[in-house]
Amino acid sequence: MDQFGEMTVFLRVIEEGSFSGAGRRLELSPSAVSKLIARMEARLGVRLFERVAAAIRLTQEGERFRIASQRVVQAMAACAPLGDAPHKKETPACC
């Protein structure tokens, strides 16, 4: 999965409040979501979530990554319709 896909999963975990909830919505197993988050944390060198009992909570680093991820996902969504438009010489607002 590319980094954009990872960000999407990360944001879904936050929205759903759990790895299992995110997995259900994304049609992934909770284990797959957990492993993906662990790989992201290893690559970034930070913990994104605190895992406490049966709950998860964003760390400070996770909150910063959430903000950055939301910006990226919103920018990609804003640019998505451009792929359907005929080529224009002007620069789109999202780029």
Side-chain angles (χ1 to χ4, degrees):
M1 181 176 293
D2 64 13
Q3 290 183 1
F4 178 75
E6 290 178 347
M7 287 180 195
T8 302
V9 172
F10 170 73
L11 292 172
R12 183 64 66 182
V13 169
I14 296 167
E15 290 171 16
E16 296 297 326
S18 70
F19 295 155
S20 59
R24 277 191 299 275
R25 291 284 304 270
L26 297 168
E27 298 182 357
L28 297 170
S29 70
S31 175
V33 173
S34 179
K35 287 176 184 175
L36 183 142
I37 296 296
R39 282 193 306 268
M40 289 175 64
E41 290 174 328
R43 186 181 73 247
L44 296 169
V46 297
R47 297 286 293 186
L48 298 171
F49 292 100
E50 291 178 15
R51 292 144 177 96
V52 184
I56 58 169
R57 184 173 53 221
L58 279 175
T59 62
Q60 285 183 329
E61 295 85 359
E63 179 60 22
R64 286 195 294 271
F65 191 70
R66 179 193 64 80
I67 292 166
S69 295
Q70 285 177 324
R71 288 181 184 150
V72 169
V73 169
Q74 289 169 351
M76 293 291 286
C79 290
L82 298 175
D84 298 330
H87 294 287
K88 297 179 182 178
K89 295 195 185 250
E90 59 193 70
T91 303
C94 65
C95 300

